[in-house]
Structures are given as structure tokens and as C-alpha cells.
Amino acid sequence: MPSRDKILGDKLIAAGLINKEILESAEVEATRTKAPLYKILVKSKAVSADEMLNFLSQELGIEQKNLSQCLIEPEIIKLVDVDFARKKRIIPLYKIDNTLAVAIDDPLNTEAVDELRFKINCPVKPFLVKEDELDQTLDTCYSAKAPEDTSVKEKDFDKPSIVNTVNLIIMQAMKEHASDIHIEPKEKTLAMRFRIDGVLHQRSAPPRYLHEAIISRLKILSNLDIAEKRIPQDGGFKITSADHLIDVRVSIIPSLYGENVVLRLLDRSATPLGLEEIGFAKENLEQFKKVIASSFGIVLVTGPTGSGKTTTLYASLNTIKSEEKNIITIEDPIEYHLDFAKQIQVNTKVNLTFAQGLRSILRHDPDVIMVGEIRDFETAQIAIQAALTGHLVFSTLHTNDAPSAISRLIDMDIEPFLVSSCIKAVLAQRLIRTLCADCKEKIIVREKELYRSLGLEFDKPADKEVTIYQPKGCKLCMHTGFKGRLGIFELMQMTPKINLLAISKASADEIRKAAYESGMVSLRRDGLNRILEGITTIEEVLRVA
């Protein structure tokens, strides 16, 4: 029976990666050193490490992992002791549905996987990784802690401890479902805050002396200039944790006591939500679905940064998708991967702007186009031309409410009659924190007082008592009283009266009045409904609207 190395050698020749002479030479060296044949071939540079990894992965049906992009939780590392991990060259990565994912660099060493499976009494799924990455990760995950002596200079620190520190910060933020991490140097301390459900929360920060090392590690990961500390820098990197692919966008600015950094976490493996899941009231939902069922025109979503505009756009595309529609998007950044759409990432370094990308999209026979944001006259003009030529265009605009979007486009020098003829509807939105269902407390208030608190006109025939809720705080919501967010919305459809006001360049106040008369529900009134449903609080609606 042919040996394992003989079979491998024949297959490498058949794949055209080596020839017979190289194989014979490698076989002699493998016999002499008792090393696996494939390692001899890589060491002698007859086959590159990447080529060999790809070949073995395909041949043996073992998926690959990039260990440099993996975050491994300390609890998972504890499942495999250091002696076993180093001796068997195997690292635990994460656990899903009682199956432990592990990294190995020798796909032919099945004994280690079998032994670990027996040792921990659960299924084990191996992933193939590069040898040098496995060595580095072994040192990182099973290294000693950083020294307690704060007088030691940063260059003397054990490098893996800095890697661990950065990994632990990101893992903690992911566990708490944070969207952003703020690391801020003070004169003698280091502050760290997580943005959770739109609100910043203070967290325990690493020691001040680790600040520069942490910044350097983030710059390395983001391909930024480590030596440059005088100007802002932006970059990013990708990581995987528990089978989730996370985009980390890094922004660094100089400040009085050192460099501030903000990390934005985007879960690329998250599934886009449907319109029913993002907080629409029934009436608004039905009206908006009719709007996006149009075959042409522009649908705008407005609101400040972080108000969930892009999520609403994705949910809209998810609702109208079909095999009969060609959907193309241009975004910055691409926050979700859509299987049913072609997605383009803005890249200003090569002059791929929203406007430039939109021009190219129109030559690809689209039915539906999504433009991440209308920022300038050029992008607005091309979007309107697309709508006029029979395309349905979705985009976002930075205005505080729906009526102001009309004035904003006219201020961009778009002809009022074009605004009137192209815009189908404008949806303004905010994100409100939702009360924790496990600890919220019931309170009784007068309905008239509730309206007054929100600055709304009381239009009921009689006052009465109503039940609303307030936050309390428990372990499940990290004692904030809130858990998750939903949208509140203001949908303005372009009625004949609003079209005439747009053509006459009427003010946003005049357009708003006409919109209310035609049945538009304001953000605060939509928030009032969420309060009465026990979803959120008066204070939360006032905070965002």
C-alpha cells in the first residue's frame, strides 16, 4: 500500500505544483529528517506556504482560517491546556452548538484531533492554518501576563500581552453588543467607553502605560503609519470570533495627552432585517411598502449619523428583491453582504466616489439602485437622472426631519420641478432604546400629562389614566434598564400640495404643515405610540426626537 507521503507527492505532481525530480529530492530529505513531505517542500521553497495550504485544504476537505483575524476568548483557551496545545499543535477557537472549532497546521495529523475529541467529550471541527500563524497564536494565547511594574518601558513588554489586551477589549465590546469603542488618554489615566444602543458607557480601561503600545498594535492591524502621531489616520481590519466576521474601522486623532482612537464594529455576518423588525407602526409600514413597490422615483431616508438609515435601506431592498430585478448598491462602508445585489465600496483613493460609481451603475442595466448617501449636487443630479429614466433609487440625506429634505435638495441647486417630479417619499427616523422586558416597571400617568411632556397637543375628548413603563435595571440589561433599539419614523409622501410647495421653493415649515394635514405622523407622535405600547420611555423619545 502506498505511503501517505507517496500519495501526496503523486497528487502534487498531477496538480503541476512540483516535478518528479523535486519530489525525489524531497523524499530523501523527509526520510532523513523524519519530517512530513509537505513541510520539506515548503521549507525548500519548492512550493509556497500559501500554495501548499490551498492544495491540502482542497484535497482533504478542511476549511482554512486566517488566525491573525481570529479573536479567541479566554474561556475557550482554558478548554485545552498549554502542554497539550503546544505538543499537539492545536488551538481551540470557538464553540458553537457543542462543537469545538480548532486550528491545526498539520492536516495529516488526525490523531491530535481524535485525542482532543476524547479528552473534552464533544465534537471537534479542525480548520487549517499557516504554521507561522499557529506558532504566533500559541505564544499569544498561552503567554504570561504583563508585568505589574508600571515603570517598565513599553518596549520591554512581552508583545503577546499587548495582543491579548487589544483582543480582550474587542471581545468585551462584542459581548456587550457595542457599536463603537472609544479609547481616550487623560493626563495620568486612560479612559475607555463603549457605545451600546447609541449611548456611551464607561468601562474599566487598561493601565495608562499601555496606551502607546495599544495604539501601535491597532495601527499595525490597520496598515497605518506607526511613527506618525501628529495627524489623524483612518484604516481598518477584519477579525473573526465565534464564526462571525467583524469589520473594525479605526479612526485615530491626536489630542492633548496622546492619540484618541475610535473603533467601529460592523458584523458582516449579520443578516439584514426585514421592515417588520425595525419598529414600523402598522400604518406607516403599509404606506412605506406601497412606496417602495414603485418601479421608478427616489425614496429618501433621513436622520443624523447613527439613526439606522442604512439598516432601513437594506430592509427595503430585502423586501422588494426578486430574481426579476437587478439591484446594485454603492456604499461607504458596505455594512451587510446582500446575496441578491451587486455591491460597490466607495474608494476615494482611486476616485471611486458616490457620483462616479453611480454613473457606472447606470450602464449595468439596473432596476433598483441604492446610493449610500447624497452628499453633493453631482450625486443628487445623477440620482435624479436615474429616477427620470425609469429606475427606483434609494438613498440617505442628513436632515432632522422629512420636510427639510426637500429644502436640502433645492439648496444643493437641484431644480425644484425635478425634486417635485422625482421624489416619491421621504422617511425620517431615529433609534430609541427599548426597555428591558425582564425588569421594566409599570407606572400610571394622566394621558394629558404624557402629551404635555412630549410637547404634543392633547387632541382627545377626555383625559384618563394610562399605563406606561420606566427602566429599573438588572443583570440581563447590564443594569441600564434598556436592551436593544427600534426605530421611530416620520413618513412624508409627496402629495399634489407638497409638490406645488416644492416647486415654489416653500420653507420646510410650510411643507411640514402640509404634510401633517395630509396625515403624516411626526417622530414624537410615533414615539408616543411606542411609549403607550410599553416599548420605551418619555425621556428616551425626547432624547432622540
Side-chain angles (χ1 to χ4, degrees), residues 281 284 447 451 454-460 488-490 516 519-533 541 545:
N284 268 345
E447 192 173 19
Y451 274 68
L454 292 169
L456 298 173
E457 182 182 347
F458 185 66
D459 51 4
K460 298 292 182 71
I488 54 173
F489 302 93
E490 177 180 88
Y516 287 149
M520 182 182 80
V521 176
S522 70
L523 286 166
R524 283 199 182 181
R525 277 205 174 262
D526 197 32
L528 169 65
N529 293 333
R530 304 288 85 80
I531 293 168
L532 292 171
E533 290 168 3
V541 171

Side-chain angles (χ1 to χ4, degrees), residues 29 38-47:
E29 182 65 13
Y38 77 90
K39 288 192 175 183
I40 297 296
L41 289 168
V42 172
K43 188 176 181 181
S44 66
K45 297 184 179 179
V47 181

Side-chain angles (χ1 to χ4, degrees), residues 487-533:
I488 54 173
F489 302 93
E490 177 180 88
L491 178 60
M492 183 184 78
Q493 298 187 67
M494 297 297 284
T495 63
K497 185 173 182 179
I498 294 175
N499 283 331
L500 288 172
L501 288 170
I503 291 171
S504 64
K505 295 187 178 181
S507 68
D509 287 338
E510 291 175 281
I511 295 172
R512 186 179 299 107
K513 182 181 177 182
Y516 287 149
E517 289 172 355
S518 67
M520 182 182 80
V521 176
S522 70
L523 286 166
R524 283 199 182 181
R525 277 205 174 262
D526 197 32
L528 169 65
N529 293 333
R530 304 288 85 80
I531 293 168
L532 292 171
E533 290 168 3

Side-chain angles (χ1 to χ4, degrees), residues 256-267:
L256 179 61
Y257 297 114
E259 291 175 291
N260 279 265
V261 62
V262 175
L263 311 180
R264 168 150 289 189
L265 310 179
L266 300 173
D267 188 349

Side-chain angles (χ1 to χ4, degrees), residues 157-194:
F157 290 146
D158 178 23
K159 289 182 181 177
S161 68
I162 299 301
V163 174
N164 278 343
T165 299
V166 172
N167 286 355
L168 287 170
I169 289 171
I170 296 174
M171 280 190 286
Q172 183 62 32
M174 289 169 60
K175 277 184 178 180
E176 297 187 30
H177 303 289
S179 60
D180 302 86
I181 303 169
H182 292 244
I183 300 174
E184 305 155 332
K186 308 297 182 184
E187 184 176 8
K188 296 181 179 179
T189 60
L190 191 62
M192 184 168 73
R193 295 185 290 173
F194 292 169

Side-chain angles (χ1 to χ4, degrees), residues 424-536:
K424 288 285 182 183
V426 183
L427 181 74
Q429 69 176 74
R430 299 289 190 276
L431 287 177
I432 52 168
R433 291 185 296 169
T434 55
L435 285 161
C436 174
D438 292 282
C439 66
K440 64 181 182 180
E441 292 182 327
K442 184 187 296 186
I443 56 172
I444 306 296
V445 299
R446 304 296 303 184
E447 192 173 19
K448 189 173 183 179
E449 181 63 22
L450 174 60
Y451 274 68
R452 191 194 66 78
S453 298
L454 292 169
L456 298 173
E457 182 182 347
F458 185 66
D459 51 4
K460 298 292 182 71
D463 192 9
K464 64 179 180 180
E465 289 186 339
V466 292
T467 300
I468 63 173
Y469 291 83
Q470 64 183 8
K472 180 183 179 183
C474 66
K475 188 176 181 181
L476 292 173
C477 61
M478 294 180 290
H479 302 284
T480 63
F482 296 93
K483 197 174 182 183
R485 289 191 291 178
L486 285 176
I488 54 173
F489 302 93
E490 177 180 88
L491 178 60
M492 183 184 78
Q493 298 187 67
M494 297 297 284
T495 63
K497 185 173 182 179
I498 294 175
N499 283 331
L500 288 172
L501 288 170
I503 291 171
S504 64
K505 295 187 178 181
S507 68
D509 287 338
E510 291 175 281
I511 295 172
R512 186 179 299 107
K513 182 181 177 182
Y516 287 149
E517 289 172 355
S518 67
M520 182 182 80
V521 176
S522 70
L523 286 166
R524 283 199 182 181
R525 277 205 174 262
D526 197 32
L528 169 65
N529 293 333
R530 304 288 85 80
I531 293 168
L532 292 171
E533 290 168 3
I535 291 173
T536 193

